[in-house]
Amino acid sequence: MGRAGRLSVCTKVCYGIGGVPNQVASSASAFYLQLFLLDVAQIPAAQVSLALFGGKVSGAVADPVAGFFINKSRRTRAGRLMPWALGCMPLIALAYFFLWFLPPFTSLRGLWYATFYCLYQALSTVPYTALTMILTPSPRERDSATAYRMTMEMAGTLMGATVHGLIVSSAHGSRRCEDPVLAGSTAVSPDVARLYCIAAAVVALTYPVCGSLLCLGVKERPDTSATASGPGLSFFTGLAITSRHPPYLSLVVSFLFISAAVQVEQSYLVLFCTHASRLQEHVQSLVLTILISAVLSTPLWERVLQRFGKRTSAFGICIMVPFSILLAAVPSAPVAYVVAFVSGVSIAVSLLLPWSMLPDVVDDFQLQHRRGPGVETIFYSSYVFFTKLSGAGALGISTLSLEFAGYKARACQQAEEVVVTLKVLIGAVPTCMILIGLCILMIGPTPKTPSQDTFSQQSLR
């Protein structure tokens, strides 16, 4: 990194690669985990709801705890955050693999998957995400590094859904029920469980590979985001102060709704195509359409953010709203592909924006309070906490609604109440959440960031 705080392309690429495994795993689980738990593991929808809710809550609680220990840890030769980021990766890989493993017993399967989903969610990603503030003090370079990271993570999202989907596609695509006697449900083939294990193993291998590249290509800078003139904050004192910072509150609350909407849209797309429309043969193609459009549009959104500002760019998420309703109303193949493309573009900006705006909030806080090192960990851990908590509520309640509607595992034809519920979950629910989130973001206070001149003067000292 030069005197002006510029990062090399190699550093930005390696930093982005470090986030790929989590996105590969998150993508596969977002699109296929509910289908696996309901139709392959054949767990009742109520237990699936509890497992998803418990996992998200455990992850939400674990992130501030991880932030506390990170804040207390001493800096090593490898840095302060890097050892934590690399140490979590093998444990996350193991938890992820057993999340897709079909145990030989049936009575306690709900507890099995709840346990490993909680472990998978609880193992923290805060050290990696907080690295953004440690790489460089330059706001422009941090935005650029975030764009690289989001582009690589989008590619990871595409890879996760593609690889997982291609491996398990034969497990769901050929099921038919011409015989009325078999129209209730069908047994699970051992080959189906084997395919899911193979897919899980392939995804788990991305953790050691990408973690090695992150370690080799990224060198942590010593608390360059902190204002050295002020004393460091203890974790809980800092948590109390940062949670009252108005720009942070606005950002968190708005993206609670937006991120929950994206998670609901992803989680129920496959179930909607399988049980509420005649799009079973198009599931893999629709998932790929969403992810390819998201990957290709991420660099374009970064340019839009630089040119028109981050708040103005937030209106790009609005394009998802009418199309989500259209898919629920007219579930035909042409409409589905248009909706998939638009959803991918909207998902790209909804994921890029909060991570681009969060460093601005940290800078704004530092300008007002002049605190020392450790602030970035507090902000990032609490932000991930609230995001996971919103996902827990959204997915837990929505999955429980399938139980009330009468969802039956591996049924060839679901009840009309289930079909209506899936249409509401894919259309009305994300639409309302997105609109609420955007309204909060627009009326909230704008964070102030250091000017480029101020940064240049600081970097020359």
Side-chain angles (χ1 to χ4, degrees), residues 63-64 126 129 239 248 251-256 259 350-351 353-355 358 377-389:
D63 287 320
V126 170
T129 55
L239 192 62
Y248 181 62
L251 176 67
V252 166
V253 175
S254 63
F255 279 99
L256 286 184
S259 63
S350 66
L351 294 177
L353 265 176
W355 294 113
L358 191 54
T377 305
I378 298 171
F379 272 103
Y380 277 79
S381 61
S382 57
Y383 178 78
V384 176
F385 165 79
F386 288 117
T387 302
K388 287 185 177 180
L389 197 63

Side-chain angles (χ1 to χ4, degrees), residues 129-140:
T129 55
L131 273 174
T132 309
M133 300 299 300
I134 305 297
L135 293 177
T136 172
S138 168
R140 181 177 293 275

